[in-house]
Amino acid sequence: MYSEEKDITKVLLIESDSQEASRFADACSKANIQSIILKDSYEAVQYLKHKKEVDLIIAEKNCIPLDSSRFRSYLQNELQLQLPVVVSVTAEEIVNDTYSQDPGPLIQKPFEPGIIQYLRRLLMADKNVSDQQIYSLQYLEDISENDSSFIKESLILFLETTETCIPDLIADVTEEKFESARSIAHKIKPSFAMLMANRAVEICEQICHQASDEQLPELVRELYSLHEQIAEKIKRDHLKNKHV
Amino acid sequence: MTPKILIIEDNTMVLKSLEFKLIREGFEVLTASDGRQGMSLIREGSFELVITDLMLPFITGLEIIEYIKTEHPDTAVIVLSTSNQEHIIADAFNLGADDFITKPFNPNELTLRVKRSLGIRKT
């Protein structure tokens, strides 16, 4: 997938479930990574006020008292910390919440033994994405000769389609309905292609034709995370007054 | 007379883009978002050209091509495909499809292939 993985030496996890916390600590220990496990975002803020040298924070989506989105804002605006925050979500949270307020990288629970490798790739993917354009309107502009109403309608259609299909994709993978998952990836691939979201196209292609069943959950998680970033940026840049 | 084209595609974004482009080119365009709806429109009316996806809900693109080539042999068919579908495209050509366009389509290529397919049918 990626030729380069970002090195991680110290991770802060905000996790209220002791079993998940324990699984995560074990994975870190095996990878020689120091893990700081805290139960809520208040403890995390207190910790980070004094010790800022963590490479990565993983915050439960609905951590308290600040949820992951507010926690991230607090870090950036109040503590002036630009640390990567990955949000952990359950499959149910993804399926039941078609539009997350948490743009940015996400990981799905339960935490698995390969989580560290996945996080390294995720950070590198996030860096790559932020270094490049996450999507482009160039293709839509070309086919419509810059027709702004067509472009806007296409963006709304993109969101309507993907915000239904991605939770279905996650549900299928969770229930091990792999052929159905591949069929959904096949259906949404052209939508990403029309927005020139090349990494998303590549992931869909892998899901459809290259990846084994065992590899699908990780690819789907990455696609979900990437889609959240694209959707959030589209809404912010082009659909400010639209309710999608 | 304005050539009448039917597009059958379950990705709404692709469907609307094709419709937009072909209407701009001056064609009369009808759309269907699944195989059943597409088949129903084919039975109700006559089209100079049908542009169809292959992997469709309810009725597949291959079944649609087979029906068209049996019941409406004068209707041209262009298949919409994505990469890595070579074996299905081969089946489509064996059933009589005239051409194929890869998604997402190149606008100039679309116009060229549509006009060519319609021209073929006129001769």
Side-chain angles (χ1 to χ4, degrees):
Chain A
M1 283 167 59
Y2 298 103
S3 56
E4 200 179 346
E5 290 181 351
K6 187 173 172 63
D7 196 25
I8 303 171
T9 57
K10 191 173 179 182
V11 180
L12 190 156
L13 174 75
I14 305 170
E15 177 58 60
S16 58
D17 183 314
S18 57
Q19 284 189 332
E20 289 291 354
S22 171
R23 264 197 286 268
F24 184 80
D26 284 350
C28 284
S29 172
K30 283 175 188 156
N32 290 320
I33 289 172
Q34 188 184 350
S35 58
I36 315 295
I37 315 278
L38 301 172
K39 285 195 178 112
D40 59 50
S41 50
Y42 175 78
E43 285 185 15
V45 167
Q46 293 306 309
Y47 180 88
L48 291 164
K49 265 185 180 174
H50 305 291
K51 297 179 182 178
K52 298 171 181 176
E53 69 290 4
V54 299
D55 299 307
L56 169 69
I57 299 164
I58 301 170
E60 241 179 329
K61 179 177 162 51
N62 295 317
C63 54
I64 54 169
L66 301 176
D67 66 15
S68 54
S69 178
R70 292 188 180 92
F71 171 72
R72 190 194 342 245
S73 299
Y74 192 88
L75 287 191
Q76 288 172 356
N77 302 327
E78 301 298 326
L79 302 186
Q80 307 295 316
L81 289 176
Q82 301 299 323
L83 293 168
V85 178
V86 175
V87 177
S88 66
V89 288
T90 61
E92 290 74 27
E93 282 171 332
I94 295 171
V95 172
N96 295 331
D97 180 13
T98 53
Y99 173 57
S100 164
Q101 296 300 314
D102 284 305
L106 291 110
I107 51 168
Q108 192 181 319
K109 290 189 281 192
F111 296 132
E112 291 167 353
I115 184 174
I116 301 299
Q117 198 184 11
Y118 173 67
L119 286 171
R120 284 176 171 142
R121 283 203 297 267
L122 195 62
L123 283 186
M124 185 49 65
D126 195 41
K127 181 184 175 300
N128 289 343
V129 163
S130 62
D131 288 348
Q132 306 161 3
Q133 266 190 309
I134 193 167
Y135 73 91
S136 166
L137 299 184
Q138 188 63 54
Y139 176 80
L140 296 177
E141 288 167 355
D142 285 350
I143 58 172
S144 68
E145 293 163 22
N146 290 310
D147 185 306
S148 59
S149 60
F150 168 83
I151 292 168
K152 192 164 269 188
E153 188 191 0
S154 296
L155 293 175
I156 292 169
L157 285 173
F158 171 82
L159 293 175
E160 284 176 353
T161 306
T162 52
E163 286 181 353
T164 306
C165 288
I166 301 253
D168 289 348
L169 183 57
I170 291 163
D172 279 349
V173 167
T174 306
E175 292 163 22
E176 301 189 354
K177 296 177 183 167
F178 297 118
E179 282 319 299
S180 175
R182 288 190 170 89
S183 166
I184 292 172
H186 174 82
K187 180 181 169 180
I188 58 176
K189 189 174 83 165
S191 300
F192 286 112
M194 290 174 82
L195 289 186
M196 302 175 84
N198 297 333
R199 176 59 192 152
V201 174
E202 197 180 306
I203 295 171
C204 288
E205 182 68 19
Q206 286 177 321
I207 293 172
C208 291
H209 301 290
Q210 293 149 14
S212 64
D213 291 349
E214 292 72 29
Q215 290 171 314
L216 292 199
E218 186 182 320
L219 288 167
V220 169
R221 280 194 288 267
E222 191 183 346
L223 185 63
Y224 173 75
S225 176
L226 197 50
H227 172 261
E228 288 293 294
Q229 294 173 64
I230 294 169
E232 191 275 337
K233 192 161 165 44
I234 287 173
K235 287 173 183 173
R236 196 176 60 224
D237 293 349
H238 304 287
L239 304 173
K240 276 178 188 155
N241 301 318
K242 292 267 179 186
H243 296 285
V244 181
Chain B
M1 211 172 84
T2 310
K4 204 163 140 189
I5 299 174
L6 171 65
I7 309 166
I8 314 171
E9 165 64 53
D10 64 339
N11 181 310
T12 327
M13 204 172 157
V14 175
L15 182 70
K16 290 287 174 187
S17 306
L18 286 163
E19 182 187 28
F20 177 91
K21 187 73 188 159
L22 292 174
I23 286 174
R24 275 213 169 174
E25 291 291 331
F27 298 107
E28 185 184 344
V29 179
L30 272 77
T31 62
S33 57
D34 64 56
R36 199 156 52 197
Q37 197 188 355
M39 192 69 103
S40 170
L41 287 169
I42 293 164
R43 287 193 175 116
E44 284 167 15
S46 67
F47 298 92
E48 277 73 37
L49 171 66
V50 174
I51 301 175
T52 183
D53 188 16
L54 292 172
M55 291 173 71
L56 289 165
F58 308 124
I59 297 174
T60 69
L62 292 180
E63 288 172 288
I64 287 170
I65 296 167
E66 195 167 19
Y67 177 81
I68 292 170
K69 291 301 164 185
T70 309
E71 301 297 326
H72 305 276
D74 289 339
T75 300
V77 175
I78 294 180
V79 165
L80 288 168
S81 70
T82 57
S83 53
N84 284 307
Q85 278 195 309
E86 294 82 3
H87 60 294
I88 313 181
I89 295 168
D91 289 343
F93 275 94
N94 286 336
L95 289 171
D98 297 279
D99 208 343
F100 76 98
I101 295 169
T102 307
K103 291 184 279 188
F105 62 90
N106 173 308
N108 296 330
E109 191 186 329
L110 172 75
T111 308
L112 188 76
R113 286 177 187 254
V114 164
K115 286 181 177 168
R116 195 168 66 188
S117 292
L118 289 169
I120 286 170
R121 291 290 135 181
K122 277 177 189 165
T123 55

